[in-house]
Amino acid sequence: MASNVPESSPWIRRYNPAADARARLLCLPHAGGSASFYLPLSRALGPDIDVLTVQYPGRQDRRHEPCVDSITGLADALVGEVLPWADRPLAIFGHSMGAMVGFELALRLERRGTQPLVFFASGRRAPSRRREDGDPVHLRDDQRVIAELRALSGTDARVLDDEELLRMALPAIRSDYRAAETYRYVPGPRLAAPIHAHVGTEDSKVTPDEARAWADHTSGGFDLHTHPGGHFFPAEQMPRIATSLAGEISGLLLQKSV
């Protein structure tokens, strides 16, 4: 299957290229996360699905680049990077903060005439469901930011236990939390693409009811999927998540072909 996609991009990582894949899945990390979080998913879904993972600036090999501390800023920067990869059905998966970036990115893609196959909103309440937080993480001192990371268990323990690595990672982590915590949804057109929400049954950051409210943001159909585990259930339940995503993408491709 011929393709004119770029060979390299600072934003897009392709750990297991799948030239003949039926569809692509673009994955967006959580606050403080990096593209490598999705390496196991990339291995699990290939070669039938070509997994692309986003690397935000300010971390790992992009650590010398300035961070982008707004959800809309990240979506604005990504849309031009992602469009060349939409040469075949493109699904979007975002976890936690990545779900907000993915939603804003999907809106921008549709405004440019490219409708995603599906948007997977993982571990995040719908944009219209706000929680008032009088103690934003991005305004806390370093020790309390670290305590939040430990409580959620989403940051590699090797980073949390290594003072030098942690000192390097904290600016990006704080910037991501600022982006997530200052984001405000602006009511507008619904997505034409379907939204499938995924949530952990023990996730303190989002309830099934808050996840179900994603249905209000699409005219293309909605599904809610629950999984055992807490906020980082995708890491805890990777084989289950991979099987679920593969089935959902296959079903939607079949619908399109009928």
Side-chain angles (χ1 to χ4, degrees), residues 99-228:
M100 291 185 289
V101 179
F103 173 65
E104 290 289 342
L105 173 62
L107 288 171
R108 284 156 174 75
L109 288 171
E110 290 193 350
R111 286 203 292 265
R112 300 277 288 269
T114 297
Q115 180 182 319
L117 177 69
V118 58
F119 169 51
F120 297 111
S122 170
R124 183 68 193 185
R125 59 191 177 274
S128 52
R129 289 294 191 95
R130 281 192 58 199
R131 289 187 185 181
E132 295 300 330
D133 187 357
D135 185 25
V137 176
H138 76 276
L139 296 179
R140 300 178 191 177
D141 62 32
D142 288 352
Q143 292 308 310
R144 294 179 67 218
V145 172
I146 294 167
E148 175 75 8
L149 300 177
R150 291 189 187 279
L152 290 178
S153 303
T155 301
D156 192 327
R158 292 171 297 181
V159 174
L160 294 176
D161 295 335
D162 186 312
E163 185 177 346
E164 184 175 354
L165 283 177
L166 191 56
R167 188 165 57 250
M168 291 172 58
L170 272 174
I173 292 169
R174 191 179 296 280
S175 176
D176 286 354
Y177 271 101
R178 183 181 298 110
E181 293 173 337
T182 60
Y183 172 71
R184 298 293 181 267
Y185 167 64
V186 178
R190 296 183 178 192
L191 277 181
I195 296 178
H196 291 195
H198 288 253
V199 63
T201 55
E202 301 167 38
D203 188 352
S204 63
K205 295 295 183 179
V206 54
T207 66
D209 182 62
E210 289 173 321
R212 194 174 292 110
W214 279 103
D216 298 333
H217 297 275
T218 176
S219 60
F222 174 77
D223 261 324
L224 176 66
H225 304 263
T226 58
H227 306 274

Side-chain angles (χ1 to χ4, degrees), residues 42-112:
S42 174
R43 290 170 175 159
L45 292 179
D48 194 44
I49 297 171
D50 190 20
V51 177
L52 315 172
T53 61
V54 170
Q55 184 79 307
Y56 304 134
R59 68 216 65 212
Q60 293 187 339
D61 57 330
R62 300 190 71 188
R63 64 185 179 277
H64 298 302
E65 300 178 44
C67 297
V68 179
D69 62 359
S70 77
I71 298 298
T72 54
L74 285 166
D76 288 341
L78 273 167
V79 65
E81 299 285 340
V82 172
L83 277 169
W85 296 96
D87 59 330
R88 64 196 70 180
L90 176 69
I92 299 174
F93 180 97
H95 182 69
S96 195
M97 182 191 86
M100 291 185 289
V101 179
F103 173 65
E104 290 289 342
L105 173 62
L107 288 171
R108 284 156 174 75
L109 288 171
E110 290 193 350
R111 286 203 292 265
R112 300 277 288 269

